[in-house]
Amino acid sequence: MSKHEPLVHDWREWRRRRTWYLYEQGWQQKEIAQALGVSKGAVSQWINKAKQEGTQGLRRQPRCGCPAKLSQEQRAQLPELLAKRAEAFGFSGAVWTTERVAAMIKQQFGVSYHPAHCSRVLRACHYSRQKPVTRATQRDEQRIEAWKREQWPVIKKSHGGEEDHPFCG
């Protein structure tokens, strides 16, 4: 970094400005791309932008799209609410699905989110959606293991192995 380059807090903006600086120093686009770990196309775009708009064109741009529905304070509360588990909000089972997260956000903050978007909300606070295990509630794991240990070998042996068994393809 030279004394002519301003201090930049966004690394992407720094990279764009560094591209322009190196270009002005006589570096080839291919060399700049290699040095900064970007494509030649990106270097070309940034140089053209700087030629047309000056270094102001390389500055960080505000994000496009709608503003966030939840405030920063509300987003900060999400991990604490999710830690209470889904049962605390009237759901059966402790699993957080995107549908449940959407319902909880609506209940707590009055903000509606589509369940598909809730996976991004969860990811932003370092959670992931969970899929409920779909098993019969009357399932008896001990009896299943005993059957596998005692009955399955007998069936397998009587049919000449798995390959010949009608259920084993």
Side-chain angles (χ1 to χ4, degrees):
M1 187 83 103
S2 78
K3 62 182 176 183
H4 302 290
E5 289 182 275
L7 182 62
V8 178
H9 296 288
D10 177 15
W11 66 271
R12 291 179 186 95
E13 182 179 332
W14 174 88
R15 191 172 57 185
R16 291 188 296 270
R17 289 176 175 261
R18 187 72 177 163
T19 296
W20 181 246
Y21 174 78
L22 295 173
Y23 179 76
E24 286 185 318
Q25 299 304 307
W27 286 45
Q28 297 295 314
Q29 289 186 19
K30 184 171 101 175
E31 297 169 329
I32 296 169
Q34 282 181 324
L36 298 178
V38 296
S39 69
K40 290 183 279 185
V43 169
S44 178
Q45 288 177 0
W46 297 335
I47 289 171
N48 288 335
K49 187 118 173 143
K51 284 179 180 176
Q52 293 170 1
E53 302 175 28
T55 55
Q56 292 296 333
L58 302 175
R59 296 192 74 195
R60 181 180 182 186
Q61 301 296 317
R63 288 187 168 199
C64 298
C66 298
K69 292 181 178 181
L70 291 176
S71 69
Q72 290 288 13
E73 296 80 26
Q74 290 169 327
R75 279 184 182 256
Q77 292 175 31
L78 280 177
E80 184 181 318
L81 293 170
L82 293 168
K84 292 181 182 178
R85 303 176 73 144
E87 294 163 325
F89 296 92
F91 301 107
S92 61
V95 177
W96 280 115
T97 63
T98 53
E99 290 80 8
R100 290 178 174 192
V101 172
M104 183 270 292
I105 289 172
K106 176 76 172 170
Q107 177 186 347
Q108 294 296 304
F109 304 114
V111 174
S112 296
Y113 272 111
H114 188 279
H117 181 72
C118 286
S119 61
R120 287 188 284 267
V121 173
L122 287 169
R123 210 171 21 251
C125 58
H126 307 290
Y127 271 82
S128 64
R129 70 182 179 90
Q130 301 163 344
K131 288 185 179 178
V133 176
T134 52
R135 289 195 174 148
T137 54
Q138 65 271 30
R139 183 179 167 107
D140 186 341
E141 294 297 331
Q142 291 176 336
R143 285 186 64 196
I144 292 170
E145 287 304 315
W147 184 90
K148 284 181 187 177
R149 198 173 44 253
E150 298 162 13
Q151 298 297 316
W152 178 241
V154 173
I155 294 170
K156 195 169 142 181
K157 191 182 287 185
S158 69
H159 289 290
E162 287 185 26
E163 297 80 26
D164 297 332
H165 194 276
F167 300 118
C168 296

